[in-house]
Amino acid sequence: MKGKVVSDSRNLEGIHVVNYSKHEGVTTERGGYFSVNVSINDTLLFSAIHLKGYMHVVTEEDKTRENFFVPMESNTNLLDEVTVTKYKYVTTENLGIIPRGMKSYTPAERRLKQAVGENRYGLSSSVSFDGILNAISGRTAMLKKEVEVEKKERLIDDIKFQYDNEYMMNKLHLEEDYVDGFVYFLLDEQEFLIPFKEKNKTMCEFVLSKLATKFLELQNENANEK
């Protein structure tokens, strides 16, 4: 179905158009135009940070239209006071201390590079004596595991930063004791990880609701088995 978002806002590009029934989504092009795969009775959700959300259930008439027009109102919030409590995205790169795009390594990644005998130019040394010893002792394999653990820890921090305990408890109806377990549960759910890495907040929120229900059902099954 082809359509167009209409609004008094001039910024109509990049608006999320999510087919909640099919768990698929697209974003609008310049001018608010979009094309999305739909069936009759599918629920479409339209959202953007500067516009009020809009929901529509697809009818047979909608599919016959040449263009489906979606009215969206500007979302203007006046804030009396803003308090910044977290500085997650204040980095050396964002502050201009190091060039943007410059490769940086975590402590675990640096240890791994040293273990496999890479020289200062990033070239692997096939005759590195230390590299041979490390490979024999299993140190390289251990360091690779450390890098993977480190990546998961960073991902956990990112998820908790975006969706804190208050969100998990109030929006997803999870008990506080279950919050950490649910975050670890999300690490194996590509249905969530893909839109999360793409920063598709609308899709993430819908998937989180679905996965929270699945997680609670698994907890109840485990409790019954005991």
Side-chain angles (χ1 to χ4, degrees), residues 115-117 128-143:
V116 298
S128 168
F129 185 70
D130 287 340
I132 294 172
L133 290 179
N134 286 329
I136 293 173
S137 66
R139 176 171 168 77
T140 301
M142 179 190 70
L143 291 174

Side-chain angles (χ1 to χ4, degrees), residues 144-159:
K144 285 181 179 179
K145 289 181 181 180
E146 283 188 15
V147 171
E148 292 304 313
V149 169
E150 202 172 56
K151 288 180 180 178
K152 287 188 176 182
E153 289 176 346
R154 290 202 301 267
L155 182 57
I156 289 170
D157 288 341
D158 288 342
I159 294 173

